[in-house]
Amino acid sequence: MSLTNVENVVFDQNGWDVGTIEPKSSKYISFQVYIPENIHTETLHTPMEITYFNAHGDKVETTQNVDFYINGLIDLRIYDVNVIDLSGKQTVIGEIINEGNTNALFGFVTLEPLGDSNIKKTTQFIDEIETDSPVPFNIPVEFDGEPKFGKHDIKITLRYKDDSRIEHLFDYDTAVFLKDTTVIPEPTISDYMPGMIGLVIAAIVGVIIFKKIRKKKELVTS
C-alpha cells in the first residue's frame, strides 16, 4: 500500500516522455508544484508509475515510491538603486524585496564595477531577507586608484541560501552617477541671504533705537 500526502498538492503535469535512456546514463524531468503554504518545507511522498520497453521490446510497468522535498519560493528583486551622501561619503543604496513565500537566508550584497569603472569591489552582509519586507543596503564607494567621477556601470550581486542551504546568486546590472566632491561650487545669491537678512534686521533695529533716542532728546529740550 502506497503512502501519500499530496492530497492538496497540484502538479502542472502528470506524465513525461523522456525518450531513450542510454546505458549508464540518466535523464531529468522538471515540473512545477503548487502547494499549500503550511507544507512548503516538508517532504512529499507519492507513487510514480514508470513505463518502458526493455531490450526485447516488451512493455514493462513498475511503480516506485518517490519523495519530493519542497523548497519554498524565493523571488527577489532589487530596486531604487541610487547614490547619496552619507556622513560625507558617497554611498550606493538600494532596496531588496522578496516576493516569494519563504525567507532567503544568509544574504550578502556585493557591489562591483563593470566596463571602465574603477569602483572597488565591496561586500556587505544583510542576513535574512524576509518575505514582503524590504531590506535596505548601503555600500560606501571606494576606488581602485584615483577617484573617477561621473557615470559608473556597476553590478550588484545578491548571494543567499534557500531552505536546503543551497547557495544562489542574483545579479542586477545598473549605472550610478558619482559627483566630483573635490570641486567647491561657486557661491550663489542664496548663500549670501542669511547675512543680508541679518544686516537688514540690524539696520531696522538701529533706526528704531535712533528714533527713540532722538525723541527723548526733543522732550528734554522742550
Side-chain angles (χ1 to χ4, degrees):
M1 184 174 179
S2 299
L3 177 65
T4 178
N5 62 346
V6 294
E7 291 83 2
N8 297 317
V9 176
V10 177
F11 294 84
D12 69 339
Q13 60 189 102
N14 57 10
W16 298 267
D17 183 358
V18 298
T20 301
I21 303 177
E22 300 295 335
K24 298 182 179 180
S25 67
S26 60
K27 286 196 174 181
Y28 294 91
I29 60 174
S30 63
F31 52 94
Q32 291 183 326
V33 182
Y34 302 91
I35 61 170
E37 185 175 357
N38 62 328
I39 63 170
H40 75 262
T41 57
E42 295 184 8
T43 301
L44 302 182
H45 315 281
T46 186
M48 177 176 283
E49 183 181 279
I50 304 171
T51 302
Y52 65 95
F53 292 90
N54 62 21
H56 302 288
D58 301 324
K59 184 178 181 179
V60 179
E61 294 182 352
T62 181
T63 299
Q64 299 286 334
N65 288 327
V66 294
D67 294 335
F68 300 95
Y69 179 77
I70 304 299
N71 270 330
L73 174 64
I74 299 174
D75 186 10
L76 300 176
R77 186 165 61 90
I78 297 174
Y79 63 99
D80 284 351
V81 176
N82 209 338
V83 176
I84 64 169
D85 185 284
L86 193 61
S87 301
K89 196 171 189 64
Q90 294 192 84
T91 303
V92 175
I93 64 169
E95 300 274 352
I96 301 167
I97 186 74
N98 180 2
E99 298 177 334
N101 60 15
T102 192
N103 297 344
L105 308 175
F106 311 113
F108 289 85
V109 176
T110 298
L111 168 68
E112 60 182 306
L114 295 175
D116 60 355
S117 171
N118 69 333
I119 291 178
K120 185 180 293 185
K121 183 176 179 180
T122 309
T123 297
Q124 180 185 56
F125 176 60
I126 58 172
D127 202 4
E128 194 168 0
I129 309 168
E130 298 180 349
T131 59
D132 300 325
S133 180
V135 176
F137 63 88
N138 55 82
I139 303 178
V141 173
E142 301 285 349
F143 294 98
D144 276 325
E146 291 296 320
K148 290 174 61 176
F149 303 104
K151 181 182 176 183
H152 283 257
D153 293 319
I154 60 171
K155 174 185 287 186
I156 298 172
T157 299
L158 178 57
R159 187 169 83 248
Y160 64 94
K161 292 185 178 182
D162 61 23
D163 293 324
S164 301
R165 300 305 189 267
I166 298 173
E167 188 170 85
H168 302 269
L169 298 176
F170 176 74
D171 292 333
Y172 178 76
D173 295 350
T174 187
V176 293
F177 189 87
L178 301 180
K179 297 178 181 178
D180 187 349
T181 54
T182 63
V183 176
I184 301 175
E186 293 291 332
T188 62
I189 187 66
S190 60
D191 296 322
Y192 296 108
M193 287 301 293
M196 294 172 63
I197 293 173
L199 290 174
V200 171
I201 294 174
I204 293 172
V205 172
V207 170
I208 293 173
I209 294 174
F210 174 76
K211 286 184 175 181
K212 287 184 177 181
I213 294 174
R214 184 176 179 180
K215 189 173 182 179
K216 287 182 179 180
K217 286 184 177 180
E218 289 176 350
L219 291 173
V220 171
T221 304
S222 61

